[in-house]
PDB file of all heavy atoms in Angstrom:
ATOM      1  N   PRO A  61     -30.508 -22.393 -24.839  1.00 98.00           N
ATOM      2  CA  PRO A  61     -31.835 -22.408 -25.501  1.00 98.00           C
ATOM      3  C   PRO A  61     -31.756 -22.989 -26.925  1.00 98.00           C
ATOM      4  O   PRO A  61     -32.776 -23.363 -27.514  1.00 98.00           O
ATOM      5  CB  PRO A  61     -32.218 -20.928 -25.537  1.00 98.00           C
ATOM      6  CG  PRO A  61     -31.472 -20.320 -24.391  1.00 98.00           C
ATOM      7  CD  PRO A  61     -30.171 -21.054 -24.332  1.00 98.00           C
ATOM      8  N   ILE A  62     -30.535 -23.124 -27.438  1.00 98.00           N
ATOM      9  CA  ILE A  62     -30.379 -23.580 -28.829  1.00 98.00           C
ATOM     10  C   ILE A  62     -30.028 -25.064 -28.927  1.00 98.00           C
ATOM     11  O   ILE A  62     -30.562 -25.782 -29.754  1.00 98.00           O
ATOM     12  CB  ILE A  62     -29.248 -22.752 -29.535  1.00 98.00           C
ATOM     13  CG1 ILE A  62     -29.462 -21.243 -29.335  1.00 98.00           C
ATOM     14  CG2 ILE A  62     -29.141 -23.119 -31.019  1.00 98.00           C
ATOM     15  CD1 ILE A  62     -30.734 -20.687 -29.910  1.00 98.00           C
ATOM     16  N   CYS A  63     -29.093 -25.516 -28.080  1.00 98.00           N
ATOM     17  CA  CYS A  63     -28.615 -26.901 -28.220  1.00 98.00           C
ATOM     18  C   CYS A  63     -27.868 -27.340 -26.969  1.00 98.00           C
ATOM     19  O   CYS A  63     -27.592 -26.532 -26.081  1.00 98.00           O
ATOM     20  CB  CYS A  63     -27.668 -27.003 -29.423  1.00 98.00           C
ATOM     21  SG  CYS A  63     -26.154 -26.062 -29.166  1.00 98.00           S
ATOM     22  N   LYS A  64     -27.504 -28.630 -26.961  1.00 98.00           N
ATOM     23  CA  LYS A  64     -26.630 -29.114 -25.890  1.00 98.00           C
ATOM     24  C   LYS A  64     -25.222 -28.665 -26.190  1.00 98.00           C
ATOM     25  O   LYS A  64     -24.814 -28.590 -27.354  1.00 98.00           O
ATOM     26  CB  LYS A  64     -26.666 -30.640 -25.848  1.00 98.00           C
ATOM     27  CG  LYS A  64     -27.916 -31.182 -25.236  1.00 98.00           C
ATOM     28  CD  LYS A  64     -27.806 -32.679 -25.057  1.00 98.00           C
ATOM     29  CE  LYS A  64     -29.064 -33.151 -24.339  1.00 98.00           C
ATOM     30  NZ  LYS A  64     -29.184 -34.579 -24.292  1.00 98.00           N
ATOM     31  N   THR A  65     -24.456 -28.370 -25.103  1.00 98.00           N
ATOM     32  CA  THR A  65     -23.055 -27.993 -25.324  1.00 98.00           C
ATOM     33  C   THR A  65     -22.246 -28.323 -24.082  1.00 98.00           C
ATOM     34  O   THR A  65     -22.794 -28.510 -22.997  1.00 98.00           O
ATOM     35  CB  THR A  65     -22.915 -26.494 -25.685  1.00 98.00           C
ATOM     36  OG1 THR A  65     -21.560 -26.227 -26.040  1.00 98.00           O
ATOM     37  CG2 THR A  65     -23.278 -25.585 -24.526  1.00 98.00           C
ATOM     38  N   LYS A  66     -20.939 -28.379 -24.273  1.00 98.00           N
ATOM     39  CA  LYS A  66     -20.071 -28.613 -23.117  1.00 98.00           C
ATOM     40  C   LYS A  66     -19.516 -27.272 -22.646  1.00 98.00           C
ATOM     41  O   LYS A  66     -19.122 -26.427 -23.460  1.00 98.00           O
ATOM     42  CB  LYS A  66     -18.928 -29.538 -23.519  1.00 98.00           C
ATOM     43  CG  LYS A  66     -19.440 -30.924 -23.899  1.00 98.00           C
ATOM     44  CD  LYS A  66     -18.378 -31.985 -23.662  1.00 98.00           C
ATOM     45  CE  LYS A  66     -18.981 -33.362 -23.638  1.00 98.00           C
ATOM     46  NZ  LYS A  66     -19.216 -33.924 -24.970  1.00 98.00           N
ATOM     47  N   VAL A  67     -19.500 -27.075 -21.310  1.00 98.00           N
ATOM     48  CA  VAL A  67     -18.947 -25.833 -20.740  1.00 98.00           C
ATOM     49  C   VAL A  67     -17.999 -26.212 -19.600  1.00 98.00           C
ATOM     50  O   VAL A  67     -18.038 -27.335 -19.104  1.00 98.00           O
ATOM     51  CB  VAL A  67     -20.069 -24.913 -20.179  1.00 98.00           C
ATOM     52  CG1 VAL A  67     -20.902 -24.329 -21.288  1.00 98.00           C
ATOM     53  CG2 VAL A  67     -20.917 -25.643 -19.166  1.00 98.00           C
ATOM     54  N   ASN A  68     -17.156 -25.272 -19.208  1.00 98.00           N
ATOM     55  CA  ASN A  68     -16.199 -25.523 -18.131  1.00 98.00           C
ATOM     56  C   ASN A  68     -16.578 -24.712 -16.902  1.00 98.00           C
ATOM     57  O   ASN A  68     -16.827 -23.511 -16.990  1.00 98.00           O
ATOM     58  CB  ASN A  68     -14.790 -25.118 -18.582  1.00 98.00           C
ATOM     59  CG  ASN A  68     -14.322 -26.011 -19.705  1.00 98.00           C
ATOM     60  OD1 ASN A  68     -14.481 -27.222 -19.640  1.00 98.00           O
ATOM     61  ND2 ASN A  68     -13.763 -25.418 -20.756  1.00 98.00           N
ATOM     62  N   ILE A  69     -16.628 -25.376 -15.777  1.00 97.00           N
ATOM     63  CA  ILE A  69     -17.018 -24.678 -14.542  1.00 97.00           C
ATOM     64  C   ILE A  69     -15.960 -24.855 -13.449  1.00 97.00           C
ATOM     65  O   ILE A  69     -15.170 -25.799 -13.471  1.00 97.00           O
ATOM     66  CB  ILE A  69     -18.385 -25.155 -14.003  1.00 97.00           C
ATOM     67  CG1 ILE A  69     -18.340 -26.660 -13.712  1.00 97.00           C
ATOM     68  CG2 ILE A  69     -19.511 -24.809 -14.956  1.00 97.00           C
ATOM     69  CD1 ILE A  69     -19.456 -27.122 -12.804  1.00 97.00           C
ATOM     70  N   LEU A  70     -16.021 -23.915 -12.505  1.00 96.00           N
ATOM     71  CA  LEU A  70     -15.106 -23.918 -11.364  1.00 96.00           C
ATOM     72  C   LEU A  70     -15.770 -24.679 -10.215  1.00 96.00           C
ATOM     73  O   LEU A  70     -16.976 -24.509  -9.997  1.00 96.00           O
ATOM     74  CB  LEU A  70     -14.919 -22.449 -10.955  1.00 96.00           C
ATOM     75  CG  LEU A  70     -13.836 -22.063  -9.982  1.00 96.00           C
ATOM     76  CD1 LEU A  70     -12.466 -22.185 -10.647  1.00 96.00           C
ATOM     77  CD2 LEU A  70     -14.042 -20.614  -9.535  1.00 96.00           C
ATOM     78  N   ASP A  71     -15.022 -25.468  -9.486  1.00 94.00           N
ATOM     79  CA  ASP A  71     -15.579 -26.081  -8.287  1.00 94.00           C
ATOM     80  C   ASP A  71     -15.392 -25.077  -7.144  1.00 94.00           C
ATOM     81  O   ASP A  71     -14.347 -25.013  -6.499  1.00 94.00           O
ATOM     82  CB  ASP A  71     -14.849 -27.401  -7.986  1.00 94.00           C
ATOM     83  CG  ASP A  71     -15.445 -28.082  -6.769  1.00 94.00           C
ATOM     84  OD1 ASP A  71     -16.422 -27.540  -6.198  1.00 94.00           O
ATOM     85  OD2 ASP A  71     -14.939 -29.148  -6.380  1.00 94.00           O
ATOM     86  N   GLU A  72     -16.431 -24.258  -6.917  1.00 95.00           N
ATOM     87  CA  GLU A  72     -16.302 -23.147  -5.962  1.00 95.00           C
ATOM     88  C   GLU A  72     -16.019 -23.638  -4.547  1.00 95.00           C
ATOM     89  O   GLU A  72     -15.393 -22.952  -3.746  1.00 95.00           O
ATOM     90  CB  GLU A  72     -17.573 -22.281  -5.966  1.00 95.00           C
ATOM     91  CG  GLU A  72     -17.817 -21.601  -7.293  1.00 95.00           C
ATOM     92  CD  GLU A  72     -18.886 -20.524  -7.201  1.00 95.00           C
ATOM     93  OE1 GLU A  72     -19.116 -19.997  -6.106  1.00 95.00           O
ATOM     94  OE2 GLU A  72     -19.490 -20.217  -8.244  1.00 95.00           O
ATOM     95  N   ASP A  73     -16.486 -24.853  -4.272  1.00 94.00           N
ATOM     96  CA  ASP A  73     -16.329 -25.406  -2.940  1.00 94.00           C
ATOM     97  C   ASP A  73     -14.867 -25.739  -2.614  1.00 94.00           C
ATOM     98  O   ASP A  73     -14.510 -25.987  -1.468  1.00 94.00           O
ATOM     99  CB  ASP A  73     -17.197 -26.668  -2.848  1.00 94.00           C
ATOM    100  CG  ASP A  73     -17.446 -27.061  -1.419  1.00 94.00           C
ATOM    101  OD1 ASP A  73     -17.654 -26.151  -0.601  1.00 94.00           O
ATOM    102  OD2 ASP A  73     -17.421 -28.266  -1.127  1.00 94.00           O
ATOM    103  N   ASN A  74     -14.065 -25.701  -3.630  1.00 96.00           N
ATOM    104  CA  ASN A  74     -12.637 -25.998  -3.492  1.00 96.00           C
ATOM    105  C   ASN A  74     -11.850 -24.864  -2.825  1.00 96.00           C
ATOM    106  O   ASN A  74     -10.685 -25.016  -2.490  1.00 96.00           O
ATOM    107  CB  ASN A  74     -12.122 -26.159  -4.924  1.00 96.00           C
ATOM    108  CG  ASN A  74     -10.991 -27.116  -4.986  1.00 96.00           C
ATOM    109  OD1 ASN A  74     -10.729 -27.819  -4.019  1.00 96.00           O
ATOM    110  ND2 ASN A  74     -10.306 -27.114  -6.111  1.00 96.00           N
ATOM    111  N   TYR A  75     -12.517 -23.697  -2.694  1.00 97.00           N
ATOM    112  CA  TYR A  75     -11.798 -22.495  -2.252  1.00 97.00           C
ATOM    113  C   TYR A  75     -12.248 -22.026  -0.874  1.00 97.00           C
ATOM    114  O   TYR A  75     -13.427 -22.108  -0.538  1.00 97.00           O
ATOM    115  CB  TYR A  75     -12.008 -21.348  -3.263  1.00 97.00           C
ATOM    116  CG  TYR A  75     -11.370 -21.676  -4.589  1.00 97.00           C
ATOM    117  CD1 TYR A  75     -12.084 -22.354  -5.570  1.00 97.00           C
ATOM    118  CD2 TYR A  75     -10.032 -21.375  -4.831  1.00 97.00           C
ATOM    119  CE1 TYR A  75     -11.489 -22.710  -6.773  1.00 97.00           C
ATOM    120  CE2 TYR A  75      -9.432 -21.732  -6.029  1.00 97.00           C
ATOM    121  CZ  TYR A  75     -10.165 -22.388  -6.983  1.00 97.00           C
ATOM    122  OH  TYR A  75      -9.557 -22.754  -8.157  1.00 97.00           O
TER     123      TYR A  75
END
Side-chain angles (χ1 to χ4, degrees):
I62 310 298
C63 66
K64 284 188 176 171
T65 187
K66 295 207 163 81
V67 290
N68 294 315
I69 59 162
L70 192 72
D71 182 1
E72 296 192 24
D73 198 39
N74 210 12
Y75 294 89

